[in-house]
Amino acid sequence: MRLKALYEPDGTIIAMAEIRDHEEGHLELRPPSSAEHPTEQQVADLDVPDEFRERPLAEVAAGFRVESTAEGVRLSRK
């Protein structure tokens, strides 16, 4: 399963959605552009570890954070 996640610079996931190839339309999560959110939020497409593929998205968001690596970004357990 692949996810699109909106996250804070510290890796905290704010929002996420499952990416499904067969669905029509365009999935987009965008950081807010208001002064209320001055942080540099980012969006990434991420792979979910096999053991979490059937779990609710809220459980994935609660148990993981986004981590930057030399190869890009990935989900990392909290």
Side-chain angles (χ1 to χ4, degrees):
M1 173 170 56
R2 292 202 33 93
L3 299 174
K4 187 169 286 281
L6 173 66
Y7 64 97
E8 295 282 357
D10 68 358
T12 301
I13 297 170
I14 300 165
M16 61 175 32
E18 183 178 352
I19 299 171
R20 295 184 180 178
D21 293 332
H22 64 277
E23 289 183 356
E24 291 186 27
H26 179 71
L27 175 64
E28 187 172 0
L29 293 176
R30 289 182 285 163
S33 59
S34 71
E36 283 181 35
H37 302 280
T39 61
E40 297 176 16
Q41 296 171 343
Q42 297 182 14
V43 176
D45 291 354
L46 303 159
D47 289 311
V48 177
D50 289 338
E51 65 270 19
F52 280 83
R53 289 185 189 274
E54 300 300 321
R55 306 257 179 109
L57 292 181
E59 189 175 330
V60 176
F64 288 85
R65 58 185 291 283
V66 178
E67 178 181 71
S68 294
T69 68
E71 295 82 33
V73 293
R74 66 181 182 95
L75 285 177
S76 175
R77 290 187 190 236
K78 287 184 177 177

